[in-house]
Structures are given as structure tokens and as C-alpha cells.
């Protein structure tokens, strides 16, 4: 129940979109990323993707857990 391919795919897409948006369209983050070396930029993208992925996966898991609780017959 905890591991799901669909939740992982949805979380990866959401994490990629959030990282892309936060590093390319938020002016404060654009200035910070622009001042770093290329290797550090890659590290920042990967680290933030992993953080957003973990959070999104746990949120999707929690939502599916609540749906299962409320829709199951008692």
C-alpha cells in the first residue's frame, strides 16, 4: 500500500514542476542560483527535487489513506 507507481509518477511530475518554477520564475531564487557555480546549481536542482518529491509523495499517500478510510465499509 505504501509504495505505488502512480503516486511516484504523480509526485515526480509535481516535484519537477515545482523545482522548475521556483528556480526559474521566483526572482529571489533566480538571483541566488545565478550566483552559484554550475556544479552547485545541479546539486541544488537535484536536492530540491528529492525534497519536493518526498513531500509530494507523502501528501499523496496521506490523501489516499484518508480516502481509503472514509470509503471503506465499516
Amino acid at each position: 500500500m505504501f509504495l505505488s507507481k502512480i503516486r511516484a509518477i504523480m509526485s515526480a511530475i509535481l516535484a519537477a514542476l515545482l523545482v522548475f518554477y521556483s528556480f526559474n520564475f521566483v526572482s529571489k531564487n533566480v538571483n541566488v542560483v545565478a550566483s552559484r557555480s554550475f556544479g552547485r546549481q545541479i546539486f541544488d536542482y537535484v536536492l530540491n527535487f528529492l525534497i519536493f518529491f518526498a513531500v509530494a509523495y507523502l501528501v499523496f499517500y496521506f490523501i489516499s489513506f484518508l480516502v481509503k478510510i472514509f470509503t471503506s465499509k465499516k
Side-chain angles (χ1 to χ4, degrees), residues 39 44 46:
D44 288 341
V46 170

Side-chain angles (χ1 to χ4, degrees), residues 44-62:
D44 288 341
Y45 275 97
V46 170
L47 181 65
N48 280 291
F49 175 79
L50 292 175
I51 292 169
F52 285 146
F53 177 80
V55 170
Y57 191 87
L58 291 174
V59 167
F60 286 138
Y61 175 74
F62 182 68

Side-chain angles (χ1 to χ4, degrees), residues 15-58:
L17 291 174
L18 286 174
V19 169
F20 181 77
Y21 173 77
S22 67
F23 279 160
N24 294 317
F25 295 112
V26 177
S27 60
K28 182 179 175 184
N29 293 342
V30 170
N31 293 333
V32 170
V33 171
S35 67
R36 296 189 174 171
S37 67
F38 183 70
R40 180 69 188 245
Q41 288 178 1
I42 298 298
F43 177 74
D44 288 341
Y45 275 97
V46 170
L47 181 65
N48 280 291
F49 175 79
L50 292 175
I51 292 169
F52 285 146
F53 177 80
V55 170
Y57 191 87
L58 291 174

